[in-house]
Amino acid sequence: MLRWTVHLEGGPRRVNHAAVAVGHKVYSFGGYCSGEDYETFRQIDVHVFNTVSLRWMKLPPVRTGGREHAREVPYMRYGHTAVLVDDTIYIWGGRNDTEGACNVLYAFDVNNHRWYTPKISGTVPGARDGHSACVLGKAMYIFGGYEQLADCFSNDIHKLDTTTMCWSLINATGTPARWRDFHSATIIGTKMFVFGGRADRFGPFHSNNEIYCNKIKVFDTETNSWLNTPSTPLLPEGRRSHSAFAYNGELYIFGGYNARLDRHFNDLWKFNPVTEEKKSFCDLKSKSVCIESDLKGVDPCPEQGMGDEFNLMDHSDLYILDFSPDLKTLCKIAVIQFSLDQSGLPHDIRWELAAMTTNSNISRPIFSSHG
């Protein structure tokens, strides 16, 4: 019984950041915030969300103690990825407005909050942003993105063995996934499930003929082969910049954007790789979601007449989707839902009213039901 149980404001306001769950905490790195400076090489900022206390904390800047040590800390960026292997978070890719895209591997020790750059070998992927990264065992897989030097979309798969710190380009067999960026790639078992993203109708180079993939492509890490695309009777609209995660062996997809339709999504989809069935849950009254990781995004700005430059707003809110809410949580949901029903307000107004009257403190969640 899925329930949206918590809504919090006051987190870092940004898009195209990277986040990873470490125990009961979520570490969020960098990202783009309208109006901020992305031309100077200031340190990437790190925000930590405690899922027990429901509070955000920003980590203090790292004291580098010299120019050489400063290179050990990544500069502020967006469009990068973050993955967790043991007690280390690996940050890769992304771009800065001055430097462009990056292909330096940064490591963040979660025990002492120390940055360092591991010594690597092998075939290092070209600098890019909008790629995906996922982990299977001790290996990190990088797929797709927009590669800066080649100035085109990628559909290569790169693997980093974190035990040897050696990069390798995988020579995959089968029909590969289309060149794309800002897609998602999720590991379930030994397979990588790629969904969505922005591509070009005519090939890897961007020709302003964008298409948005809505089929799942599956890569088998044991045979290094692309498998046939699962055929399902129900498919979500193609999208990019959505979020994806695996739970109990199933793939979940939330939100995203399709420029051809000029539409932002707030729907939640589930795919079962065993039955190959896609199921759509009802539309949600939320703009972002936190499910084991911080996944904020952008939505159309409510103000009218501000021009194309200001037609999007960056979010700082956070929602939690509870797969197994306890009785106490369900009781709180029922009480608030009853209070809203008695108000006689339209549903949209009741939702906004709940946000304003209940969320007076960042540590006080808003409980709401979207069944």
Side-chain angles (χ1 to χ4, degrees):
M1 180 171 53
L2 303 179
R3 293 282 186 176
W4 293 97
T5 56
V6 175
H7 168 207
L8 296 174
E9 297 284 353
R13 183 171 66 89
R14 61 203 55 215
V15 299
N16 293 339
H17 55 293
V20 63
V22 183
H24 68 281
K25 295 180 179 179
V26 177
Y27 286 75
S28 178
F29 299 87
Y32 186 88
C33 180
S34 300
E36 288 192 0
D37 176 22
Y38 293 90
E39 294 184 353
T40 58
F41 294 136
R42 58 191 173 100
Q43 286 186 17
I44 196 169
D45 57 12
V46 183
H47 292 81
V48 183
F49 179 71
N50 189 314
T51 62
V52 176
S53 64
L54 300 181
R55 289 184 178 274
W56 281 101
M57 176 186 69
K58 183 178 180 180
L59 297 185
V62 176
R63 294 184 178 181
T64 57
R67 192 169 183 178
E68 286 298 319
H69 291 290
R71 297 177 182 175
E72 302 285 307
V73 183
Y75 50 78
M76 197 63 175
R77 64 191 61 204
Y78 50 92
H80 51 291
T81 53
V83 299
L84 176 70
V85 180
D86 296 328
D87 293 328
T88 303
I89 297 174
Y90 293 101
I91 303 289
W92 193 84
R95 71 172 52 249
N96 177 285
D97 291 346
T98 297
E99 187 70 11
C102 176
N103 68 344
V104 176
L105 180 70
Y106 294 92
F108 181 79
D109 190 318
V110 297
N111 294 316
N112 56 26
H113 293 173
R114 184 178 68 88
W115 286 102
Y116 61 98
T117 52
K119 186 177 180 179
I120 58 173
S121 61
T123 306
V124 180
R128 69 193 67 196
D129 69 332
H131 56 284
S132 60
C134 51
V135 167
L136 178 59
K138 304 290 185 181
M140 175 175 73
Y141 291 85
I142 297 290
F143 171 73
Y146 199 88
E147 193 170 348
Q148 178 167 292
L149 186 61
D151 195 20
C152 66
F153 298 105
S154 171
N155 68 344
D156 291 334
I157 301 176
H158 296 264
K159 177 182 176 181
L160 174 69
D161 186 336
T162 61
T163 58
T164 62
M165 282 299 157
C166 181
W167 282 104
S168 59
L169 173 63
I170 294 180
N171 184 20
T173 60
T175 304
R178 195 176 185 88
W179 310 271
R180 66 186 75 191
D181 67 357
F182 292 103
H183 53 282
S184 63
T186 309
I187 292 288
I188 301 178
T190 59
K191 296 180 175 66
M192 179 176 72
F193 292 78
V194 175
F195 176 79
R198 176 186 63 167
D200 192 272
R201 187 176 303 278
F202 302 112
F205 296 96
H206 197 283
S207 66
N208 291 322
N209 285 277
E210 294 182 353
I211 58 174
Y212 292 84
C213 306
N214 70 337
K215 294 182 179 179
I216 291 177
K217 290 289 293 184
V218 182
F219 176 75
D220 190 329
T221 62
E222 292 185 321
T223 61
N224 284 342
S225 61
W226 287 100
L227 307 181
N228 292 329
T229 302
S231 58
T232 60
L234 184 64
L235 291 172
E237 294 281 3
R239 62 195 67 195
R240 65 168 172 85
S241 303
H242 55 283
S243 57
F245 65 97
Y247 179 76
N248 280 351
E250 295 179 308
L251 174 67
Y252 289 81
I253 292 166
F254 176 80
Y257 175 67
N258 185 310
R260 292 185 67 88
L261 301 176
D262 191 22
R263 182 180 172 191
H264 291 79
F265 300 98
N266 65 343
D267 48 357
L268 179 66
W269 290 77
K270 180 179 76 170
F271 175 76
N272 188 313
V274 176
T275 62
E276 295 188 352
E277 175 189 6
K278 241 192 198 82
K279 178 180 179 182
S280 174
F281 294 92
C282 61
D283 282 351
L284 309 169
K285 297 287 185 180
S286 61
K287 302 182 180 67
S288 57
V289 59
C290 172
I291 310 169
E292 296 188 335
S293 63
D294 168 37
L295 300 168
K296 290 179 283 296
V298 296
D299 257 353
C301 185
E303 286 81 7
Q304 300 296 320
M306 297 182 69
D308 293 339
E309 185 179 357
F310 300 100
N311 65 354
L312 294 176
M313 61 181 294
D314 308 326
H315 287 295
S316 63
D317 55 354
L318 180 146
Y319 290 76
I320 295 179
L321 179 63
D322 196 331
F323 281 79
S324 301
D326 57 23
L327 182 60
K328 181 179 179 181
T329 298
L330 292 174
C331 288
K332 289 182 178 180
I333 292 174
V335 169
I336 293 178
Q337 186 64 50
F338 177 78
S339 300
L340 293 176
D341 289 340
Q342 298 303 305
S343 69
L345 296 173
H347 286 276
D348 289 344
I349 297 178
R350 283 187 288 169
W351 169 255
E352 295 298 331
L353 182 62
M356 289 186 290
T357 59
T358 311
N359 194 31
S360 59
N361 188 292
I362 190 173
S363 64
R364 290 183 61 190
I366 287 181
F367 294 89
S368 57
S369 174
H370 301 290

